[in-house]
Amino acid sequence: MQTFFNHLSVSLLRFVLIFPYTWIIQLGRGLGWVVAHIPSDRQRVVLINLRLCFPQLSNKEIEALALQHWQLFGRSILERSRIWLGTPTQINEMIQIDSEIELGDRKPRILVNPHFVGIEGGIALCALAEKMDWPRGVTLYQKMKNPYFDQKIIEWRGRFGGRSIPRQGHLIETVREIKNGNFVFIAPDIDLGIKDSVFVPFFGVQTNTITAISRLARISGAEVCVMQTTLKSDRSGYICHIGKALESFPSDDENADTARLNQYFEDEIRLRPAEYYWVHKRFKNRPAGEAKIY
């Protein structure tokens, strides 16, 4: 039965791919609206996250923000038909690259990619990199529970010469890719357990956050740039913006570096709160003695 649903899901993505992009946007928003009105554990997670991060908002305002998020989330799910299966032209029509750094200069660099609904902007950069003969893209990823889709997504992300490296146990490979000047994408705003993590503030909540960015930058001598893929002002597509290298990063204090990144993410999320990936259990692990949130 699982195999049947796996193949059905891929078939549906291929089917959605034939639609005009404006249809995909509207269908995705409709899908998100439906999901928002079906009680589920993830619906509960979204509401808990929003109430923690925006305590000044009323219940009505929280529910309205959650609905906006689900509509954007539904859109992003159907947009993956283009991201994972589309042509480079289809991808780059949907996602515009806007960079403050010289792409293709092969400097050791880490692109820190927070979890907005447009997180797959790295694939757009990979597609452009193949065309321009720039370095390849390398993604650090968390293995999925579904082995079929775990392998499929690795395959789809690698269509333009990119590579996927599991987060755990591959430090030497990751450092080598950074030093070779390849685009290394890391999304650190996810709770991966307390190993190699610290509790630092995020929206005023002590939040378990990996320290890998600071450590990798120090070991490899890499610049650290924030790359975020957010909706255009008219919501007709996305802009993948790559900022300049963070100044004085890393420092000699990886805890302070990690807190600094969280603050940067928070500032950006406040500008477009519905676009953040609130479906994640961002506050899953708690400091000793604190009650569980979910």
Side-chain angles (χ1 to χ4, degrees):
M1 185 60 73
Q2 183 64 58
T3 300
F4 170 76
F5 281 111
N6 288 341
H7 289 285
L8 177 62
S9 298
V10 174
S11 297
L12 287 173
L13 285 174
R14 294 189 187 281
F15 177 65
V16 170
L17 185 60
I18 69 175
F19 294 166
Y21 182 48
T22 52
W23 289 24
I24 292 175
I25 292 173
Q26 294 306 316
L27 287 169
R29 287 180 61 83
L31 173 64
W33 187 92
V34 171
V35 172
H37 289 84
I38 299 174
S40 67
D41 179 63
R42 288 297 161 177
Q43 186 187 75
R44 185 177 65 86
V45 168
V46 169
L47 292 173
I48 290 172
N49 285 341
L50 290 175
R51 286 174 180 136
L52 274 174
C53 295
F54 301 99
Q56 75 280 10
L57 298 182
S58 67
N59 282 338
K60 188 174 181 179
E61 289 171 322
I62 289 292
E63 289 169 2
L65 183 55
L67 178 58
Q68 291 178 51
H69 169 70
W70 280 114
Q71 289 178 309
L72 294 178
F73 179 81
R75 169 180 172 168
S76 74
I77 293 298
L78 294 194
E79 284 172 333
R80 278 163 171 73
S81 62
R82 285 198 165 208
I83 291 292
W84 292 339
L85 303 171
T87 66
T89 298
Q90 287 176 312
I91 293 170
N92 287 310
E93 282 177 351
M94 189 174 84
I95 304 175
Q96 173 189 333
I97 304 296
D98 173 36
S99 179
E100 296 184 57
I101 60 173
E102 183 66 33
L103 296 172
D105 59 8
R106 294 194 174 273
K107 289 180 90 172
R109 187 177 286 125
I110 299 170
L111 299 181
V112 179
N113 188 18
H115 281 81
F116 286 100
V117 291
I119 192 171
E120 294 286 357
I123 290 185
L125 182 55
C126 289
L128 185 60
E130 184 180 57
K131 177 182 177 181
M132 302 296 292
D133 195 29
W134 290 341
R136 70 178 176 183
V138 179
T139 301
L140 263 64
Y141 78 101
Q142 183 70 14
K143 286 189 176 183
M144 298 179 65
K145 293 180 180 179
N146 185 320
Y148 176 82
F149 273 102
D150 187 69
Q151 289 305 308
K152 275 293 181 185
I153 291 175
I154 290 173
E155 173 190 324
W156 293 333
R157 284 176 173 167
R159 287 182 299 143
F160 309 113
R163 183 185 178 201
S164 295
I165 299 177
R167 288 178 181 270
Q168 289 86 11
H170 293 78
L171 175 63
I172 294 176
E173 289 179 70
T174 304
V175 170
R176 185 183 298 120
E177 294 285 359
I178 295 171
K179 288 187 173 182
N180 286 342
N182 292 317
F183 299 121
V184 177
F185 312 118
I186 306 178
D189 55 330
I190 186 170
D191 192 328
L192 296 175
I194 59 175
K195 183 179 179 182
D196 298 324
S197 300
V198 292
F199 284 96
V200 290
F202 180 63
F203 282 91
V205 181
Q206 289 297 310
T207 306
N208 190 54
T209 310
I210 60 172
T211 56
I213 305 298
S214 177
R215 189 165 55 256
L216 281 170
R218 189 178 305 108
I219 293 171
S220 64
E223 292 182 345
V224 173
C225 303
V226 176
M227 181 182 87
Q228 50 192 349
T229 306
T230 56
L231 285 168
K232 293 180 179 179
S233 57
D234 63 2
R235 301 202 163 195
S236 63
Y238 297 86
I239 294 178
C240 176
H241 178 78
I242 303 169
K244 294 179 180 178
L246 298 178
E247 294 183 4
S248 305
F249 194 103
S251 68
D252 56 1
D253 185 343
E254 66 181 30
N255 289 17
D257 290 342
T258 305
R260 180 182 172 188
L261 286 176
N262 267 7
Q263 184 61 59
Y264 189 100
F265 299 158
E266 179 181 333
D267 292 343
E268 292 299 316
I269 293 164
R270 288 185 182 278
L271 298 176
R272 47 187 72 84
E275 292 184 48
Y276 193 61
Y277 230 60
W278 298 110
V279 293
H280 281 162
K281 291 184 177 181
R282 187 67 190 91
F283 309 106
K284 180 171 58 177
N285 285 288
R286 307 305 310 139
E290 278 198 17
K292 291 187 178 298
I293 286 176
Y294 303 108

